[in-house]
Amino acid sequence: MADSSIQPDPSFITGGIAKTPFTLQQPPAQCFDTRASRLRFLAQSSELAPYLDFLADLAALQARLAQELPAPHPISSERLQQASQAGLPPIDRAALADDSQLHACLRALCEAATHIAMPVPARQALDALRSAEADDVRWLLANVLSDVPGEAIPQDAIALHLFAAAVVQVHLARLATSLPAEALQPVATGVCPACGGLPVTSSVIGLRDIENVRYASCSCCATQWNEVRIKCLCCGSTKGISYRSAGTDDATVKAEVCKECGHWSKLLYQVRNPSLEPVADDVGSLGLDLLMRSETPYRRAGFNPYLLGY
Ligand SMILES: [Zn+2]
Ligand SMILES: [Zn+2]
């Protein structure tokens, strides 16, 4: 990862020996800005250009809201303590569906998004969302915040959930970056240590003196956490793992396939192309999803709200 603003925890260098930090976090506004730029770049040479441009505008709006909206109330010390003792992530995702700040954040995003050019289904969803009752908004947020959002979100309401997911990303990225470093401890393979969310993709990166380390990226809060290089992020198996790409063997985006549980997840080789971005390049490499669906029996693990319609 070439971005010098990524903040490894202070234990990164111990006595001159480089140590792999458990988590990496970027300031939320910067994270969304980087995503917006990458989406715009990908749109230049993609059949999905109108959709990628829309997502780029949405990411730019997320960056703005991350700076302008009132800061989320910090997680209480009681909750931090309880979570630590129980081996749970400090952010209680499910409880956020009723969070008044998150609801306010959604209203702010919906108003600001009216100025963005977007596909017709997204425009219709946005109009519906702007006049939605609080109970309906709560339902959308609860689906996005559930443990397996890909199964909770109905196919006929994907566009509505896209905006809810964008708001959850802003709010949770801000909450996650407000956590004390010691609150971020391993929870389980393939589970975000900050919010318990599923990974969107994982990336093989080079970090100063440490080459080829793997970090999974949270689909909810954008926290990146260290994972073993060859391991299924769905079931934790290190056996029966293989790799597949839509192009040549030196492709920078590959499917990590697990024979044990029948799932695959997307791996980005940022070490070869530092411009790759966990969410943007997931959408940009849709061809790999289509190939895996048409040519293999494996199901995709993880979650990306921007790929639900494909
Ligand atoms: Zn997370
Ligand atoms: Zn597996």
Side-chain angles (χ1 to χ4, degrees):
M1 197 166 294
D3 200 321
S4 60
S5 64
I6 297 260
Q7 298 168 346
D9 69 36
S11 59
F12 184 57
I13 302 291
T14 312
I17 300 164
K19 190 177 149 198
T20 306
F22 175 51
T23 58
L24 303 173
Q25 290 180 320
Q26 270 182 294
Q30 196 177 326
C31 169
F32 294 120
D33 265 337
T34 304
R35 187 174 300 168
S37 303
R38 181 64 181 167
L39 285 161
R40 257 185 251 293
F41 173 81
L42 291 171
Q44 291 169 14
S45 58
S46 172
E47 290 171 13
L48 292 176
Y51 186 53
L52 290 167
D53 277 328
F54 160 54
L55 293 181
D57 287 343
L58 191 60
L61 178 57
Q62 287 175 301
R64 183 157 72 77
L65 294 176
Q67 282 187 308
E68 289 179 0
L69 291 177
H73 303 310
I75 307 292
S76 71
S77 52
E78 291 80 15
R79 169 68 195 177
L80 289 176
Q81 203 176 2
Q82 277 169 5
S84 162
Q85 282 166 358
L88 294 170
I91 298 173
D92 181 0
R93 272 193 351 281
L96 287 171
D98 290 310
D99 186 283
S100 59
Q101 277 194 309
L102 184 53
H103 282 245
C105 188
L106 182 66
R107 285 193 295 275
L109 181 131
C110 286
E111 286 313 307
T114 55
H115 304 292
I116 294 177
M118 62 184 75
V120 172
R123 175 71 62 196
Q124 288 169 342
L126 182 65
D127 289 344
L129 203 47
R130 289 174 67 214
S131 55
E133 303 286 340
D135 278 353
D136 294 331
V137 171
R138 192 199 171 280
W139 176 74
L140 293 168
L141 292 171
N143 288 340
V144 169
L145 290 160
S146 73
D147 283 342
V148 193
E151 289 175 17
I153 297 171
Q155 278 290 317
D156 61 0
I158 286 171
L160 283 167
H161 285 84
L162 183 148
F163 292 104
V167 164
V168 164
Q169 287 173 1
V170 173
H171 192 71
L172 265 73
R174 299 179 84 201
L175 262 185
T177 48
S178 75
L179 292 169
E182 64 273 16
L184 297 170
Q185 299 297 331
V187 174
T189 299
V191 176
C192 173
C195 78
L198 293 175
V200 54
T201 54
S202 65
S203 304
V204 178
I205 69 177
L207 211 56
R208 301 193 210 174
D209 296 338
I210 311 170
E211 285 183 359
N212 296 327
V213 282
R214 181 192 197 182
Y215 283 86
S217 303
C218 181
S219 57
C220 284
C221 76
T223 294
Q224 294 184 287
W225 70 95
N226 188 225
E227 291 277 7
V228 170
R229 269 294 298 278
I230 301 171
K231 188 176 196 179
C232 173
L233 294 188
C234 187
C235 74
S237 175
T238 52
K239 287 186 299 176
I241 305 289
S242 60
Y243 296 88
R244 182 139 187 191
S245 68
T248 51
D249 276 352
D250 60 355
T252 52
V253 181
K254 289 188 181 180
E256 185 178 66
V257 184
C258 174
K259 281 208 178 81
E260 294 290 313
C261 72
H263 286 87
W264 69 277
S265 63
K266 210 177 269 182
L267 192 56
L268 312 179
Y269 289 83
Q270 278 181 326
V271 70
R272 292 189 215 143
N273 179 1
S275 305
L276 294 174
E277 200 279 335
V279 173
D281 282 274
D282 189 17
V283 183
S285 59
L286 174 66
L288 181 57
D289 297 73
L290 301 180
L291 178 132
M292 292 302 290
R293 199 182 303 156
S294 64
E295 295 187 9
T296 80
Y298 299 106
R299 281 170 299 148
R300 173 142 179 197
F303 176 60
N304 185 343
Y306 302 151
L307 281 178
L308 286 177
Y310 292 94

